[in-house]
Amino acid sequence: MTLFENEYVICELDESLPVLKHRWKKVPAGKIFRENLVQIQKVYLKQSHNYTNLAWLADTQLLGEVDEATEKWFSEVWDDLLFNEAGVKIHAVILGEDLFEEYPMEKFKMDAEEKFKLLGVQLEVFSDEDEAYDWIRTR
């Protein structure tokens, strides 16, 4: 079920697991990227009241390279919004093939794993949606 969509991203709810997933359709500017993530986080907060253990799945294959300000924002703002405020416990990311573009996502994963270990946060990266869904099902 599509919850919102714009020219950059589509955000859907898969009630079968349940999973809130979003897929980037093209590269947004840093500010637009951050604004869309905050909007997705708000959707997650709303939906998490209806679904226990709602997983978060981000398909970043078409995201492109994030700017330096966004990399900083990930560690200073985003991980707190995602794991503390929204309470995400299961977080899967589908990465593209370009290592330079995907490094910030890998770094975010490693930093968040360490920072939120005591909250029971589980993070993993995948090359496609089937792998991500298989992992989410086992959580």
Side-chain angles (χ1 to χ4, degrees), residues 7-133:
E7 66 182 293
Y8 299 102
V9 68
I10 181 168
C11 180
E12 301 169 311
L13 176 66
D14 180 342
E15 296 174 301
S16 67
L17 280 181
V19 177
L20 184 76
K21 61 182 180 176
H22 64 279
R23 177 179 45 84
W24 295 95
K25 301 190 298 186
K26 69 179 191 177
V27 179
K31 183 176 186 234
I32 293 169
F33 171 68
R34 295 186 299 271
E35 288 170 352
N36 274 284
L37 278 182
V38 169
Q39 185 175 354
I40 295 165
Q41 186 255 9
K42 289 178 181 175
V43 169
Y44 181 93
L45 277 168
K46 183 178 178 184
Q47 294 299 323
S48 67
H49 295 294
N50 302 321
Y51 302 94
T52 55
N53 297 323
L54 180 62
W56 179 288
L57 174 58
D59 185 336
T60 65
Q61 294 178 89
L62 299 178
L63 179 60
E65 197 169 343
V66 297
D67 60 26
E68 197 173 307
T70 299
E71 285 188 47
K72 186 176 179 183
W73 180 80
F74 276 151
S75 62
E76 293 180 358
V77 177
W78 178 242
D79 58 6
D80 186 57
L81 287 175
L82 192 62
F83 301 116
N84 281 328
E85 187 177 313
V88 171
K89 298 286 188 237
I90 301 167
H91 187 291
V93 179
I94 301 169
L95 298 178
E97 295 182 14
D98 187 322
L99 295 176
F100 292 105
E101 290 178 356
E102 300 307 334
Y103 173 75
M105 296 300 155
E106 285 279 1
K107 184 173 180 344
F108 165 74
K109 175 192 174 289
M110 291 184 297
D111 292 348
E113 279 178 330
E114 185 61 33
K115 192 172 178 181
F116 297 101
K117 188 184 295 184
L118 295 177
L119 293 178
V121 171
Q122 300 176 64
L123 295 99
E124 194 56 68
V125 295
F126 303 93
S127 58
D128 64 49
E129 189 172 292
D130 290 336
E131 287 181 356
Y133 264 74

